Amino acid sequence: MAQEKPLRIILADDHQIFREGLRTLLEKQPATRVVGEAADGREAVRLAARLQPDLVVMDISMPVMNGIEASRQILADNPDTFIVGLSMHADCRFVLETLKAGARGYLLKDSAFEELAAAIREVRLGRIYLSPAATDLVVRDFLQREQPARAPGAFGLLSSREREVLQLIAEGRSTKEIAADLGISAKTVETHRKQIMHKLKLFSIAELTKYAIREGLTPP
């Protein structure tokens, strides 16, 4: 009988101790191999392009690039990659935006490991997996839709590039550093910054930083 091909996984999370614990648990599963680890979203995108994993376990709140943007970029390059989002955010917006980005699963970080193992099995079968807590958030949001609509958040107001720039501004990067990180000119960064401020009606770096943290674009 032919040996089962190992499931190749990348772990993306900015906490090393969390990645190490998850790696240990995952590699105890049959035919499962962790082939790479990333501490931020941009590193996850680079690793995924180089290693072409079967699945990425993606933290949603990471520095440099958050997990939602990273998921979009990974799937744009390789649509066959499965992504399971892990998050501390018990907020329906994050569940829905993660799924819109193309992830096939969403779990809260206080979930048991058995739940992550179940999510991996389900998404490999082509199904979407939400942990019970995430499902509860989505159902509650659906039931409350008759209430006045909330103002659109960053994912509705800003383009993907503007969200990247906003996250880096909130993390204290200078215009030159942002330009170097994104491979664009300093003038283009300034244009994006002005557009972001205009769209959000926020006119200081402090206000932008608070907004980015509140919207989950960058870790607090």
Side-chain angles (χ1 to χ4, degrees), residues 6-141:
L7 178 70
R8 301 171 68 255
I9 297 176
I10 285 176
L11 302 179
D13 191 283
D14 56 327
H15 295 97
Q16 183 177 350
I17 194 167
F18 183 82
R19 294 197 311 271
E20 289 175 352
L22 208 50
R23 173 191 278 268
T24 299
L25 291 169
L26 284 168
E27 291 192 332
K28 289 180 180 177
Q29 301 297 300
T32 302
R33 187 156 63 97
V34 175
V35 296
E37 297 182 22
D40 63 65
R42 185 159 293 125
E43 186 181 3
V45 172
R46 285 196 295 261
L47 268 182
R50 180 164 60 86
L51 299 175
Q52 298 290 299
D54 302 305
L55 185 140
V56 180
V57 177
M58 181 77 76
D59 183 17
I60 300 306
S61 294
M62 290 187 289
V64 183
M65 178 187 289
N66 63 74
I68 294 173
E69 298 298 337
S71 296
R72 283 197 180 96
Q73 294 193 20
I74 288 170
L75 291 169
D77 182 60
N78 185 359
D80 294 329
T81 305
F82 296 116
I83 295 179
V84 174
L86 284 178
S87 179
M88 63 180 181
H89 295 293
D91 186 318
C92 184
R93 291 177 303 164
F94 293 100
V95 181
L96 296 179
E97 291 299 335
T98 300
L99 296 178
K100 285 179 186 176
R104 305 291 295 179
Y106 189 101
L107 297 87
L108 296 181
K109 276 193 164 182
D110 59 3
S111 301
F113 174 74
E114 288 73 17
E115 227 175 284
L116 176 60
I120 291 171
R121 288 193 298 270
E122 289 295 302
V123 301
R124 291 185 74 188
L125 294 172
R127 299 170 184 153
I128 290 176
Y129 183 93
L130 298 180
S131 67
T135 301
D136 183 66
L137 292 170
V138 173
V139 171
R140 286 176 183 274
D141 181 76

